[in-house]
Amino acid sequence: TFHTRMLAVKELGLLMTLITDEDAKLENVLASFNRLFNRSDHFKAGCSLSVMLTDDVVSRPMRIIVMFLLVELFRTEQLSSHTFLPVFFELITGQNSSTPGEREFLLKLLKGGKEMSKLSSKEISKQLQTSSGPAISEIEYLKQQYSAFLRSNEQRSHPVGVSPIISDTASPSSSSTSEEPAKLAEETVSLLQQVHSVAFVPAMARPPPPLLAPRTSEIMWLHLEPLPCLLWDHSMGIDSSRGAHARELMAKAFRTALSPEEERDFLQQLEMEAKLVYHCGLSPKRLPELVEHNPRVAIEVLLKLMSSTQISEYFNVLVNMNMRVNMNMSLHSMEVVNKLTTTVELPSEFIHMYINNCITSCQEIKDKYLQNRLVRLVCVFLQALIRNKIINVQELLIEVQAFCIEFSRIREAGMLFRLLKEMV
């Protein structure tokens, strides 16, 4: 939109302060501009400067400064690549309020003339009063560059419309009093902020095309319905009662401890059909419930799942099990892990992470009674792992020694510490 290409009120005020200084040398004005405005704001400033020129809202000496800034800020090696070349072409060749002297000055700037940058806008305005305008050859050169600009930008859309700013025939002259430039700057800032679009463009009439009358020679259009896709029921013909009793026992095992007969019945079914472990209703999310109420069932099920792709998810659940709340779960989870380590080879990373979780849980329990119980359990668990040579003592020596020292008041921690000294 237009507002995104215009400066804010404060920035416009700074810009107007620069171009109203008619006694300053042009090179000094350019240096001041570069100090006040970031490179990213140059295009916004250029849009504001171009509006001042095309709609004639500033005095003659101020127009000299505006032309100089607009040319120098976007100067390129090739004139045909200048961003605001269409504005300059219209000022020099079009029907507008530009004087012959301004056209000559602007064309000299575009061709690279920098000798006038040592002068002020007031001095240049006096020199240009007797100018007859640029030579025909210079105008032809500008037309060639503008044609090259149009060829390189033919894919871009060009704005079409009428400017919303109406020129005031009683515009201030260069002989205004010292108070008028400040008033003019204020009015210009207000004017530029009130402009809501680059140009007034009437809405294009786009009526829908009329429907053509059908002819008898036309082919009839058929609205075909999509053919239905057949879906095969893979469960058809399969015994739905398969594993139903095992699922019932597993659902009960999540809630409470199974009786010895129920536990034996479930394990027998699991032994007879190993794949039943995938259809009994167990998932990693429900493993803590099974460990809490039926650790023996949990051990057998996990042993059956060791070759499964999901076993890493079950290990993650065991590692992150919350031992600070339920003491039964803590005891049973250690029982499960200890049995697994003596039956199959578990990943060393899993064992280390589980031990770290046990130590952290002991340190974070606030209740002293529960803390002492958990520390005793962890110490007995670690002694079993060390005596069975499940873990390498050297890999966890620092953590386990620190744990023993922290809870040295507990007898089992002292026994674990002595065992570490013997192993080392």
Side-chain angles (χ1 to χ4, degrees):
T1 62
F2 182 71
H3 280 303
T4 59
R5 302 201 302 267
M6 294 293 287
L7 296 173
V9 176
K10 182 179 178 181
E11 297 167 329
L12 278 173
L14 294 175
L15 183 61
M16 292 303 300
T17 302
L18 289 177
I19 67 176
T20 52
D21 191 359
E22 301 173 1
D23 295 319
K25 294 181 180 180
L26 295 183
E27 60 182 8
N28 294 338
V29 175
L30 179 61
S32 299
F33 180 92
N34 289 325
R35 284 196 305 270
L36 293 173
F37 294 92
N38 297 325
R39 184 76 179 174
S40 58
D41 292 329
H42 282 194
F43 182 71
K44 293 181 180 181
C47 291
S48 300
L49 292 172
S50 66
V51 172
M52 296 178 192
L53 284 178
T54 55
D55 293 289
D56 195 20
V57 294
V58 292
S59 63
R60 294 298 172 187
M62 291 165 64
R63 285 171 64 87
I64 296 296
I65 299 176
V66 171
M67 291 179 184
F68 178 77
L69 289 176
L70 201 56
V71 171
E72 294 299 327
L73 289 177
F74 302 91
R75 183 178 291 281
T76 57
E77 294 183 2
Q78 297 291 332
L79 179 57
S80 59
S81 301
H82 199 292
T83 305
F84 291 93
L85 183 60
V87 177
F88 302 143
F89 182 78
E90 179 63 25
L91 289 173
I92 294 175
T93 62
Q95 299 293 326
N96 51 69
S97 60
S98 299
T99 63
E102 288 177 347
R103 301 183 186 200
E104 179 183 354
F105 170 72
L106 181 55
L107 201 46
K108 284 183 179 179
L109 286 179
L110 293 174
K111 295 187 71 175
K114 294 189 176 182
E115 62 276 1
M116 289 190 176
S117 63
K118 305 292 183 182
L119 303 176
S120 67
S121 62
K122 186 178 291 185
E123 294 171 341
I124 295 174
S125 296
K126 291 180 180 179
Q127 293 182 9
L128 297 178
Q129 288 178 358
T130 57
S131 173
S132 59
I136 297 177
S137 59
E138 294 177 336
I139 295 178
E140 290 299 323
Y141 165 77
L142 179 63
K143 289 181 178 180
Q144 293 174 4
Q145 296 297 316
Y146 184 63
S147 298
F149 175 88
L150 293 179
R151 286 194 299 272
S152 61
N153 295 274
E154 60 183 356
Q155 299 298 329
R156 300 182 185 178
S157 59
H158 299 283
V160 177
V162 180
S163 172
I165 301 176
I166 301 176
S167 300
D168 186 2
T169 54
S171 59
S173 63
S174 59
S175 60
S176 301
T177 64
S178 60
E179 294 181 357
E180 289 179 345
K183 182 179 180 182
L184 176 62
E186 182 180 350
E187 293 176 350
T188 304
V189 170
S190 176
L191 175 64
L192 292 175
Q193 284 299 309
Q194 292 174 13
V195 177
H196 294 291
S197 60
V198 176
F200 171 72
V201 181
M204 298 292 292
R206 298 180 177 89
L211 294 176
L212 295 177
R215 294 178 296 179
T216 55
S217 60
E218 290 183 2
I219 299 176
M220 183 180 295
W221 184 268
L222 298 178
H223 294 276
L224 299 177
E225 295 183 359
L227 294 175
C229 180
L230 298 178
L231 298 178
W232 184 259
D233 184 5
H234 296 280
S235 63
M236 186 167 54
I238 298 177
D239 184 9
S240 59
S241 62
R242 175 189 175 190
H245 185 52
R247 286 193 293 272
E248 291 178 5
L249 291 175
M250 180 60 72
K252 184 177 180 181
F254 292 144
R255 302 189 304 269
T256 184
L258 298 178
S259 65
E261 294 78 12
E262 291 174 330
E263 183 178 304
R264 186 168 51 253
D265 186 14
F266 178 83
L267 295 180
Q268 286 178 353
Q269 292 188 50
L270 200 61
E271 192 65 32
M272 292 171 56
E273 189 174 355
K275 291 193 182 287
L276 190 61
V277 71
Y278 300 105
H279 309 288
C280 65
L282 178 65
S283 65
K285 185 177 180 181
R286 307 211 67 176
L287 180 62
E289 303 170 37
L290 183 62
V291 170
E292 179 182 358
H293 297 106
N294 296 275
R296 285 192 57 196
V297 175
I299 292 170
E300 296 300 326
V301 169
L302 289 174
L303 288 175
K304 297 292 183 182
L305 288 169
M306 289 302 297
S307 60
S308 168
T309 57
Q310 276 191 308
I311 191 61
S312 59
E313 298 181 35
Y314 288 98
F315 283 162
N316 287 335
V317 172
L318 280 174
V319 165
N320 298 303
M321 199 170 290
N322 189 357
M323 302 183 183
R324 297 182 293 276
V325 178
N326 192 322
M327 193 58 61
N328 285 335
M329 183 180 293
S330 305
L331 174 61
H332 292 167
S333 71
M334 292 181 201
E335 179 184 345
V336 169
V337 174
N338 186 45
K339 182 64 176 177
L340 290 176
T341 56
T342 57
T343 307
V344 295
E345 184 177 355
L346 297 180
S348 58
E349 295 85 359
F350 161 70
I351 300 176
H352 293 170
M353 291 173 65
Y354 183 80
I355 293 174
N356 287 331
N357 183 37
C358 292
I359 293 174
T360 304
S361 299
C362 292
Q363 294 168 342
E364 293 180 354
I365 289 182
K366 303 300 181 184
D367 188 292
K368 288 296 181 183
Y369 173 73
L370 294 178
Q371 186 183 57
N372 293 343
R373 283 195 61 190
L374 185 59
V375 169
R376 291 190 183 98
L377 291 174
V378 173
C379 290
V380 174
F381 171 68
L382 290 175
Q383 290 180 52
L385 293 181
I386 294 172
R387 288 195 174 95
N388 293 328
K389 297 182 180 181
I390 302 299
I391 60 174
N392 186 351
V393 177
Q394 298 294 337
E395 294 179 354
L396 293 168
L397 182 62
I398 297 176
E399 293 90 339
V400 177
Q401 276 188 342
F403 170 75
C404 293
I405 294 171
E406 182 178 357
F407 298 101
S408 58
R409 69 182 185 277
I410 299 174
R411 183 168 59 88
E412 285 80 2
M415 295 172 60
L416 176 60
F417 188 79
R418 287 192 294 274
L419 179 61
L420 288 175
K421 290 296 183 182
E422 294 174 5
M423 299 299 294
V424 175

